[in-house]
Amino acid sequence: MRAGLAGVAAAAAGLGLGEVVAAFIGPQSSPLLAVGGVVVDTVPGPVKDFGIAVFGTHDKTALITGTMVLLAGYAAAVGMAALRSWVLALGGVALFTVIGVVAALTRHDAGLAAAVPSLVAGLVAATALRYLIALAASVSSPDAPVAAPPPLDGGRRRFLVGVGIAAAVGAVGGFGGRYLTSRRAVTAARQAVVLPPPAQPPPPIPPGAQVPGATAYVTSAADFYRIDTSLYPPQVDPASWQLHIHGMVRNPLTITWEQLLQRPMVSRYVTLACVSNDVGGDLIGNALWLGTPIKALLDEAQPLPEADQVVSRSVDGWTCGTPASVLRDGRDALLAIGMNGRPLPVPHGFPVRMVVPGLYGYVSACKWITEIELTRFADFDAYWVPRGWSAQAPIKTQSRIDTPRDGARRKPGTVTIAGVAWAQHRGITKVEVQVDAQPWATATLAPAVSADTWVQWSHQWQATPGDHTLRVRATDADGQTQTSTRASPAPDGATGWHTVQITVE
Ligand SMILES: Nc1nc2c(c(=O)[nH]1)N[C@H]1C(S)=C(S)[C@@H](COP(=O)(O)O)O[C@H]1N2
Ligand SMILES: [Mo]
């Protein structure tokens, strides 16, 4: 018990100081984040149902908490082992140090220095453990539970003080390290960015685009879903940002932030969607993006005709593969620097990301982009492809009921059913609503800025008392109506009709 406590406290002290050191070397070198990052990159393949192209905020918190709980268990065992054999305990600490070092060194673009936080953590943990175990062993009273706790003798008090100091070092180091890391973030650099004006003003939002009861037509940055594999958003300073366009091109290019700002800028509403968005889900958002057309950049680089895939690489090594034909077909595929009139928020890709109307995010929306490589689908699989997701992933026509919510209660009489529908770049031509087994009724479509955004719809229903099932389905400009067949998001997007149950009384 006492030895277990010593193990946990020693591990906390080590990891805490590791965080402080990592603040100076780089967030990805933190032992916890490095090991967590390796877990993110390796687990999705083999573990079924975790292989989803979604890694949201909750998953990140769960992963770090889970790692800490596992670590605490392991550290307690190492503490216990230390009572029996110091060599065994030292081996236990060393094993974890090595795992941390290897994880940190294998992160994308890691230098040798990335090993230092884990090494410091291991050294501190071993030293603290040695000291605390010595204190624990010097405690005279036995460990067995007793009816009333015996008065603290000197040895016990010294041990508890030792554990307390180690735990405090862990807590102060952990929070302090996080604080130092946040101080080194690119917040100030982002605030200093002055966005260039677009060549033309942003397209006006047609009156009536917003239907009462439906979600906001333009999603604020704060409400915009965030999906990526990074446990700490990459901090990229525009001053040192560069984009390399290379691979199967006649004319490889490198552009700096200053050069990017000189390029023609357009301002476009585009609705982004995650392939992991389940029927009725909210991994979708619509924003006004400011950026420069990718097509012109590619034209300058002169891709070879055989290059059918554009691989975009983020500063953290994440990749996505986009059909070269899509990026060059004239749609508003952008290298974006602004979101809703502000520089991109750091979690959404500051300073530069890709935005491509009509493709799911995992094959097009590379955040923190630093590289564009022309290649062939036959030659390279981007990040999610070996993890069970399709290489090609156009957004599927979908619709969602925003009001009434599932389980809602309404009074009999006129009830507004409303929501959104999307088929980016094709456009929505019809939305229909079905109540119970009645015939499908055509909903009223609100105007939208373009076929690249979602569209809102509404339907007035004369509600009668009882339990009711409401369904929605959309038809796109290709004439395709959503299938009723329920499919889960993997491998290329969910299908099925969004359905809610409500009670009228
Ligand atoms: N660098 C990087 N870019 C990325 C991802 C990622 O994991 N890393 N995830 C992609 C996925 S799966 C989606 S759906 C979109 C989400 O963009 P958002 O977080 O701005 O909404 O980003 C894409 N760009
Ligand atoms: Mo996604």
Side-chain angles (χ1 to χ4, degrees), residues 277-322:
N277 193 33
D278 220 329
V279 173
D282 57 5
L283 299 179
I284 176 163
N286 183 40
L288 177 65
W289 307 98
L290 175 76
T292 193
I294 294 174
K295 181 182 187 309
L297 271 168
L298 290 181
D299 288 349
E300 279 176 46
Q302 300 172 39
L304 304 183
E306 313 87 87
D308 61 355
Q309 179 176 226
V310 175
V311 171
S312 318
R313 192 169 278 109
S314 153
V315 67
D316 67 357
W318 187 86
T319 51
C320 66
T322 314

Side-chain angles (χ1 to χ4, degrees), residues 381-419:
D381 282 340
Y383 187 90
W384 284 108
V385 175
R387 292 166 170 84
W389 295 79
S390 300
Q392 307 276 346
I395 293 177
K396 293 181 180 173
T397 303
Q398 265 295 346
S399 49
R400 185 181 76 195
I401 299 171
D402 289 343
T403 183
R405 298 257 165 218
D406 192 44
R409 289 168 183 280
R410 289 287 188 277
K411 298 262 168 276
T414 307
V415 165
T416 301
I417 308 173

